[in-house]
Amino acid sequence: MAIKESDIVEVKEPELSFWEKIYLPSVIMGLMLTFKHIFRKKRTLQYPEKRREEVAVPDGGLRGKNYRGLHRLNKDDQGRVECVACFMCATACPANCIDIVGDEAPWPDREKYPVSFVIDELKCIYCGMCEYACPVDAIELTPVYNTTGLSRDEMMFDKEKLLEQYDKTIDIKPRKNPLIVGYSCDYKEQAVEHREKVEEFEREL
Amino acid sequence: MDWVDLVIILAKILGIIGVVKLTVPFMILAERKVSGWIQDRIGPNRAGPKGIIQPFADGLKLFFKEDYTPDGVDKILFPLAPCIAMLMAIIAMAVIPFSGQVQVGERVFDMQVGAVNIGILYILAIGSLAVYGVVIGGWASNSKYSFLGGLRAAAQMISYEVPLALTVISMIVLCGTLRLEVIVNQQIESGWWNVFSQPLTFIIFLTCLFAETNRAPFDLAECEQELVCGFHTEYSSMKFAMFFLGEYAHIIVASCLAVVLFFGGWHVPGLPTGIDQPLSLGMALLGIGIFYIKVWAFIFFFLWVRWTLPRFRYDQLMRMAWYGMVPVGLGLLMINAGIAYFENPMMDSKLRWYQLGGNVAMLLVLLAIVAIGEIRVAKNNARLEEYARGMKTQN
Ligand code: SF4
Ligand code: SF4
């Protein structure tokens, strides 16, 4: 796309005024500003005694709804892992820290499920791309920020741990979207349907 | 000189070292607290009530760290550099007068370690030696960041020593003495602290002090963003602590010097001064207390400025020294030398007013020069714009 003449904005360095060139008045103004801050209300939260969840958002509280912390794997209404092992999240992940092994699903309503699903929480940069990518809202980031471990292995979160995380956090962070049901492996039916739609569209043309 | 004198001198030396060493931890705490407050934070508050033992805990931590000497450093100069930095700062305290003369029993003695004739000269000399700590540290580390830091420190010190010396010479010429206690006494007797009659000189002096002590906004020698840590990148454990201590001790010396030269030393109106007759011990201690409070006020100012102003770019730093402060310093020196033509310029109230007038005149000249430059730049810009417009219409 060509850049239009009207889109070009010339940014000029702001001119220093006379008093700014003298320098001293601006220094004094800066000093007054910082001096005022000495007596301001302090924004510090004394962490272990007071937590970000406990205070209001304008005072530095935590936005639980969109905070990007530890992951969880959502369960569907029958308590099964919701993930369909489509590898979308692993592909989207910029840190390459999701490792999935998929297999044929033992349940009739879907084709695949993850046999193992491991996220390396130490490699993860908590960007939330996996959450964006997931077509069935199976993976979500929770507001849990204080995950620790004594070894690297402990920070490799496998499927069990991630599902456990769902039970732990479902109360403080409900699912973002309603549960997706009714997806099926009747892809032939769907394909036929789609084909029909396309043909109809072409006919109209 | 008998043994009592010796004991007194030893006591004074130990006292000064003790006070400096005890002040530095509290300066570090104050630095962290003030930076916290300015940034709307609380600052360290876990170690002891209100974080009071935080610096001691830090010191202990530094003490127990591994004292690592990297390969390829200069084996002699590498450990020497922090010692120089520390030593120079502390021995500069030797000539600072903390209070007036004291009489205990028959004995009269000064409240300074060495009441030498060359007081200010000594401080200037030691002050320029202090940069060797930084330069040698940078050189001996055999690392390019350290080296660049040392290099910058050297260039900066050389540049800023000139205007510093010019302002100090101004004061020497006016006071007619190099003895610091006499300078203070003149301020006490005339009732004019030098800062009131020489505000512009003081501002230049103060700016140079910031540069001399390597404090922000002149901390080019150790700017973290460009040079990792500058000259002390390769140092660890107690060697690093020595650099740190030296740097803060340097600030104390600088504050002392500023208090003596411009803020009347231990003088506050209404208290006995120790000029006509020596002070009693209690009064002298009070004087030292006042001096200490004034020094702390300066230390606070140092911290305050550090957390307010961003660091200069290197060329700005040099330009400010050579284009700004050296000419102004020279101008002030000329004016002050003219005033010093009269008898005893510090004692005469009228001559004090002249000094103030001279300073204000210098400031006005400065403003005028900047204004003229401004007008010329504006004219030039207008011409350029016209030219550019002409080009456009041609097209
Ligand atoms: S949050 Fe980002 S880095 Fe972490 S697993 Fe998801 S996509 Fe990967
Ligand atoms: S994108 Fe969602 S469904 Fe696909 S593998 Fe990842 S978590 Fe499972």
Side-chain angles (χ1 to χ4, degrees), chain A residues 12 15-19 21-24 27 30-32 34-35 37-38 40-44 46-49, chain B residues 34 36-38 40-42 45-46 203 300-301 304-305 307-309 312 320 366-367 370-371 374 377 381 385:
Chain A
K12 262 194 190 159
E15 291 264 334
L16 290 183
S17 74
F18 177 69
W19 291 111
K21 279 199 177 150
I22 299 291
Y23 202 67
L24 218 52
V27 168
L31 285 173
M32 291 331 291
T34 42
F35 195 72
H37 271 271
I38 290 181
R40 282 266 180 88
K41 195 174 149 276
K42 305 295 170 228
R43 308 269 306 179
T44 312
Q46 300 279 325
Y47 167 57
E49 291 95 32
Chain B
V34 169
W37 294 335
I38 284 178
D40 292 349
R41 294 184 288 115
I42 294 176
N45 66 345
R46 290 295 157 125
I203 288 170
F300 173 75
F301 186 71
W304 182 17
V305 167
W307 296 103
T308 303
L309 299 180
F312 282 99
M320 190 158 127
L366 201 66
L367 291 184
V370 177
E374 191 81 324
V377 168
N381 280 353
E385 234 158 65

Side-chain angles (χ1 to χ4, degrees), chain B residues 47-328:
Chain B
K50 300 261 167 208
I52 207 96
I53 58 172
Q54 181 70 41
F56 300 100
D58 286 347
L60 207 65
K61 183 201 76 180
L62 277 176
F63 197 76
F64 283 116
K65 280 225 167 160
E66 185 190 357
D67 189 4
Y68 182 70
T69 309
D71 274 351
V73 300
D74 192 312
K75 288 285 176 316
I76 299 168
L77 293 181
F78 187 72
L80 196 63
C83 303
I84 295 178
M86 172 84 216
L87 192 71
M88 291 308 157
I90 287 190
I91 62 174
M93 299 289 287
V95 294
I96 306 274
F98 296 105
S99 183
Q101 284 194 320
V102 184
Q103 188 165 26
V104 181
E106 289 293 286
R107 247 167 235 285
V108 176
F109 54 89
D110 302 311
M111 271 300 182
Q112 72 200 94
V113 174
V116 286
N117 271 329
I118 53 160
I120 292 187
L121 216 52
Y122 173 83
I123 288 194
L124 282 184
I126 298 294
S128 7
L129 275 184
V131 69
Y132 276 91
V134 175
V135 174
I136 290 179
W139 164 257
S141 297
N142 196 14
S143 131
K144 47 183 171 295
Y145 292 122
S146 306
F147 186 65
L148 280 173
L151 218 58
R152 282 181 175 191
Q156 178 182 330
M157 297 273 172
I158 290 170
S159 308
Y160 276 85
E161 212 128 86
V162 179
L164 181 72
L166 284 174
T167 52
V168 171
I169 291 172
S170 269
M171 298 318 289
I172 297 172
V173 165
L174 285 172
C175 296
T177 176
L178 290 169
R179 296 180 76 105
L180 290 165
E181 64 274 23
V182 179
I183 293 177
V184 175
N185 283 347
Q186 284 179 348
Q187 295 179 52
I188 294 173
E189 272 178 70
S190 63
W192 279 71
W193 290 358
N194 288 343
V195 65
F196 297 134
S197 61
Q198 297 279 359
L200 192 58
T201 318
F202 171 68
I203 288 170
I204 293 178
F205 174 80
L206 192 68
T207 320
C208 296
L209 273 192
F210 275 99
E212 281 288 299
T213 49
N214 255 327
R215 281 295 286 189
F218 300 103
D219 55 346
L220 276 268
E222 46 183 301
C223 61
E224 291 85 357
Q225 292 87 342
E226 297 158 28
L227 297 179
V228 191
C229 262
F231 60 94
H232 56 62
T233 307
E234 306 292 339
Y235 285 88
S236 57
S237 184
M238 271 324 267
K239 292 207 196 86
F240 171 71
M242 293 274 265
F243 264 132
F244 221 65
L245 225 64
E247 192 176 307
Y248 280 91
H250 220 90
I251 296 173
I252 299 179
V253 176
S255 310
C256 288
L257 192 61
V259 169
V260 167
L261 278 184
F262 288 96
F263 278 84
W266 59 89
H267 174 58
V268 285
L271 279 180
T273 55
I275 292 178
D276 310 323
Q277 91 228 30
L279 298 165
S280 67
L281 193 59
M283 272 308 170
L285 287 180
L286 187 64
I288 291 178
I290 291 164
F291 192 91
Y292 196 62
I293 289 171
K294 285 186 187 174
V295 168
W296 261 103
F298 259 97
I299 290 172
F300 173 75
F301 186 71
F302 268 77
L303 305 181
W304 182 17
V305 167
R306 165 162 185 188
W307 296 103
T308 303
L309 299 180
R311 184 183 297 126
F312 282 99
R313 216 168 53 210
Y314 199 66
D315 59 321
Q316 290 171 334
L317 179 93
M318 286 295 163
R319 199 173 332 130
M320 190 158 127
W322 291 104
Y323 287 2
M325 304 226 265
V326 172
V328 178

